[in-house]
Structure formats: C-alpha cells, structure tokens
Amino acid sequence: MPRSSRPLPELVDLAIEGHRRSVGQLLTLAERGGSDADALTRAVEPLARGAHVVGVTGAPGAGKSTMVARLVAAWVETGHRPAVVAVDPSSPLSGGAILGDRVRMAAIDDVAFVRSVATRGHAGGLALSIPASVRVLDAAGYDPIIIETVGVGQVEVDITSAADTALVVVTPGMGDAVQANKAGLLEVADGFAVNKADQPGAAHVRRDLELMLDLSHLTGQEADGRRPPITMVDSLVGEGISELIVALAEHAAHLDATGERRTRRSRRIGFELRNRLELAASSRVASQLGQTGAPLIDAVLAGETSIVDAQNELRNELFSR
Amino acid sequence: MDTHEPAPPIRIVLAKLGLDGHDRGIKVVARILRDAGMEVVYLGLRQTTDSIIAAVEQEDADAVGLSMHNAGHLTLGPAMLDALRDAEMDVPLVIGGIIPDADVQQLKDAGVAVVLGPGASSEDVVAAVRGAVEA
C-alpha cells in the first residue's frame, strides 16, 4: 500500500500553491493520526488563513449532500473556493465503509475540493482527524470549509458545535421535529434548513421549530441572544439556496461583529485539546489494565476485592509513573 | 504519548464510465469491499475519466475499480489508463463486468492490473483489489 510520496515539507509547499494531489495526500496523513498527523499539524498551524467552517448535520436521508452540493456551486459562482469534508459511518463489523456523499456532488467543478471520510470506529479518532483536515484545507486556501456529518452521535454533535456556524438540516415526515431537540442538535444550531420543502408537512416542521425556538428565547437558552433563522429549501431544484447562503453569511458577520468568532475558535481548541488528552489517557489506561489488571479482575470476580479498591490501586499505578 | 495506529483501510474509487446503466454489479462489489474492511468512494453511474481522476486526486485513492457491461471495455479501459498516466497517477486499475476471455490479455497488456469476469466470487474480488494495491 505505501506508494511513493513526497516528504512532508514538499507536500505542504505544493498544497499551499494549489496542488490538489498534495492536499489529498496531506489529508491522508491527517486521517492516519499518530505522529504523522502531529508532524503535519505542526507544519500547517503557522499557515492558517482563518477560513469559515460550517458544520452541516442532520438525520440520514435529510438531503444534506445534495444541499451541500448546491451551496458549493453557489459559492464557486461568487468566487469562493469551498472544500467539503463528508463524513460517513464505518461498519462496526468490518471496519470498511461505503462513502457515497460524493455521488451527489457530481456537478462540482475543479474549483471545489471534496473529501470523503469514514468514522473508522475508534473513539475520538474522528474528533482529532477533522481539526487536522480543516487545518490542511485552510492552509491550502479553501474557504468556506464544510463538514458534513450525520448528527446522531455525540462525536458528530460535538464536531458540529466545534464549527464556526452549525447548520442543522431537517425534513418533513421525519416525525416529531422535537426529536432534533433530543439529540442536542437544537442547542448547537446556528441555523436550520428545512429541506424537501416542497413535500407535505414542511410548514408543520417550520412551525414546530419556531415553537421550540420561542421556548428557548423565553427560558434564556438562546446562544448569545440570537435566534437561529429557519430557511425553507428544495435542494433538488435549488430553491432557497441563495437565501441559505445569505443566512450563513449573516451568521459569519454576526460572529465578527460580536467577537463570538474568537470565543468559538477558543472553544474549538479546548475541545481538540481535551480529545487529544483523552485519547492519550485512554491508551495508557488500556496499557495499564493489560499489564496489571488481570489479578485484580480475578479478585473482584472472587469477591475478595471491591471494584472500587481495584480502581484505586490501578489509578495509583497510573499516576505514580 | 504516541497512539499506535493500525494500517489504514484500502481506499478505492468505484465507477461506471459513460452511459452504461447496469449498476447492480457495482453496488454488490461496493458491499463486498466494504465487508472486507475497505473504504469505497462510490461514484456510480455516468462518470468521465476527468471525474474519476478528480476523485482519485482528492480522495487519495489506492485503486480505481471500473464496472463495464456495455462492451466498451476495449475503448474505455485504455482511455482510463491513459488518463491515469497523463495525471501521473501510479494507481492500479481493476476492471470487472462482462469481459470476454479473449479480451482479457489485451486489457492486461495495456496495463489493467486485474480483470474480473462474470462468475468472480467475493473472495476473487477482494483478493484482486488487495493484490493490485499491494503489488
């Protein structure tokens, strides 16, 4: 599998000059994780240009990819260079994945960059590789950078909340729109898109969302006093896309006007630091358990030791190193 | 505090060139490869050599798999190879579908890594892609 590849500094130089193949190869390093990804992160951190990061999330089948393709085309038309990181789940059984978001983006020309990413199963891995990939795309001059995920798990919701702008996509017929609230998506949303707005029930979805937003306003839960806008969209024919572009641009302007962008960026860094430390810690815990855990487990099983004491003993061993 | 990373999965772009609409086979192959632990960038129908090259470039794919059921393999197979060569992509091409035995050698001589005819098993498909990538 290892193909001949240029050394890292050369790849980085080529990437920032617009060489797309090099960007692709750097993204592979970012996804690989470990010390390769860390060397890459060090190399691209000083090259940050401050691209606007948009998280797009919603249930499977909501039409996110089709909508993102429309948004990207609109941004290209206005002179932007968008990039998309489209995340699809890996099979928990085989570790493989079918990455099918690219199918929806067939019309995108050579200006945009689309990368399909699999979750690859291991906890926290995605939460590290996405920020690394965003840094690569930012350094290479892509703006905006769209991260598209299925917003059902905590990791995906966290990724969305770690973007500058979080867009939640809902559709008619998805059952009670309050389901979006239960997944925590309502709290992270900076804007809503009701896709498939041509379908029956679209007006009801809008009304349900408005009611929930009224409640958030009353209880003071609104993020920085701003009510997320709701845009009706039909991605198949492209209706509502220009309105959505405007709504996203307005949020970007709001972030700059209030200084909230800096708050979000610092939250993103905190989130990434936490994930890095958690990943390293969990690896050490696993290693410790492997070395000294077996007799303790036997003792707990035999009723000779409390699991609480077993934990304390392992914790002492971990911290004494 | 380096975390040991296992070898990443093979990433393969699967596509059908031109107007060939018989996509049952490619969908089955996508499942087979996913179940073997690979990441399949599924492009599906109506692709061009340009769109496939763009996908290989952006997805940093390890291989390209083309599905052919329209007797266009002697034209489109070499066309894909030329496109890969022009783009300086040292990425193996695997072709599967309705390929007469008589045409297999011609395709391999042109540079196709593996040809999978009708009757190829799931194991054959997985072995073909793995073999082509690891060669």
Side-chain angles (χ1 to χ4, degrees):
Chain A
M1 206 189 322
R3 289 194 310 282
S4 58
S5 181
R6 297 182 164 99
L8 180 63
E10 200 180 325
L11 281 177
V12 172
D13 286 341
L14 285 165
I16 63 181
E17 281 165 29
H19 190 243
R20 291 148 71 81
R21 186 108 196 264
S22 299
V23 175
Q25 288 171 330
L26 288 178
L27 291 173
T28 299
L29 286 179
E31 287 158 21
R32 187 176 299 160
S35 52
D36 286 340
D38 284 348
L40 168 63
T41 292
R42 280 188 193 281
V44 294
E45 270 173 310
L47 305 170
R49 303 192 204 193
H52 191 74
V53 181
V54 179
V56 177
T57 193
K64 298 181 293 299
S65 294
T66 309
M67 182 184 296
V68 168
R70 289 281 188 181
L71 288 170
V72 167
W75 273 317
V76 168
E77 253 177 71
T78 51
H80 295 83
R81 274 180 81 213
V84 179
V85 179
V87 183
D88 269 328
S90 297
S91 159
L93 299 178
S94 72
I98 295 179
L99 307 174
D101 294 328
R102 205 183 176 89
V103 177
R104 310 278 178 237
M105 312 212 186
I108 288 175
D109 57 37
D110 289 337
V111 178
F113 195 106
V114 177
R115 178 72 170 215
S116 310
V117 171
T119 54
R120 290 192 182 169
H122 49 279
L126 192 66
L128 293 193
S129 74
I130 295 289
S133 299
V134 167
R135 283 193 186 91
V136 169
L137 291 164
D138 182 24
Y142 290 95
D143 188 4
I145 299 169
I146 300 101
I147 305 168
E148 188 198 317
T149 67
V150 174
V152 291
Q154 191 55 46
V155 173
E156 289 90 340
V157 174
D158 282 346
I159 285 167
T160 309
S161 67
D164 292 320
T165 301
L167 178 68
V168 175
V169 182
V170 296
T171 60
M174 275 167 59
D176 191 351
V178 174
Q179 291 303 319
N181 191 20
K182 290 182 181 173
L185 292 176
L186 186 66
E187 287 121 55
V188 308
D190 297 307
F192 290 92
V194 179
N195 196 28
K196 309 187 190 182
D198 56 307
Q199 300 292 310
H204 291 148
V205 172
R206 179 179 197 127
R207 184 203 59 197
D208 287 347
L209 286 172
E210 299 276 17
L211 286 171
M212 282 190 296
L213 292 174
D214 288 341
L215 197 60
S216 294
H217 179 72
L218 284 171
T219 59
Q221 278 177 311
E222 256 171 16
D224 47 286
R226 177 185 167 273
R227 187 185 176 95
I230 301 169
T231 310
M232 308 302 282
V233 176
D234 180 351
S235 300
L236 282 182
V237 300
E239 260 175 40
I241 293 296
S242 47
E243 288 86 339
L244 189 52
I245 297 267
V246 167
L248 294 171
E250 277 174 358
H251 186 248
H254 164 82
L255 291 176
D256 290 328
T258 59
E260 175 69 11
R261 188 185 291 273
R262 193 169 184 281
T263 311
R264 300 251 173 149
R265 298 250 159 126
S266 89
R267 191 171 71 195
R268 226 151 87 193
I269 292 169
F271 170 71
E272 190 184 347
L273 269 176
R274 194 192 79 205
N275 280 298
R276 282 173 171 270
L277 291 167
E278 279 179 0
L279 198 64
S282 100
S283 159
R284 273 187 66 182
V285 165
S287 163
Q288 187 68 52
L289 268 174
Q291 286 169 38
T292 60
L296 286 168
I297 292 169
D298 289 340
V300 172
L301 190 63
E304 292 158 15
T305 305
S306 160
I307 192 165
V308 180
D309 293 328
Q311 176 201 337
N312 289 337
E313 184 163 334
L314 284 165
R315 189 178 54 205
N316 291 340
E317 285 171 20
L318 274 166
F319 287 135
S320 70
R321 296 227 240 123
Chain B
M1 279 208 258
D2 191 13
T3 53
H4 174 69
E5 293 297 326
I10 290 175
R11 282 167 70 87
I12 176 169
V13 170
L14 283 192
K16 290 184 75 73
L17 282 169
L19 298 175
D20 177 358
H22 305 94
D23 64 347
R24 185 182 300 268
I26 189 179
K27 286 175 175 165
V28 170
V29 167
R31 286 282 301 272
I32 289 170
L33 294 177
R34 183 202 68 181
D35 292 345
M38 301 188 194
E39 289 173 0
V40 176
V41 177
Y42 182 85
L43 299 184
L45 299 174
R46 292 185 294 279
Q47 298 303 304
T48 61
T49 52
D50 281 348
S51 69
I52 293 170
I53 295 291
V56 172
E57 184 181 68
Q58 293 167 42
E59 306 285 2
D60 195 18
D62 300 307
V64 175
L66 291 181
S67 160
M68 296 183 168
H69 295 82
N70 256 12
H73 49 279
L74 290 179
T75 311
L76 296 175
M80 189 72 243
L81 289 168
D82 286 341
L84 286 167
R85 250 176 240 125
D86 289 344
E88 290 173 13
M89 286 176 177
D90 177 24
V91 167
L93 177 62
V94 176
I95 294 181
I98 309 291
I99 316 285
D101 290 341
D103 294 346
V104 171
Q105 196 54 49
Q106 191 174 337
L107 286 173
K108 292 178 95 169
D109 290 342
V112 176
V114 187
V115 179
L116 292 159
S121 67
S122 309
E123 289 79 17
D124 292 336
V125 170
V126 174
V129 173
R130 270 216 188 99
V133 170
E134 287 162 9

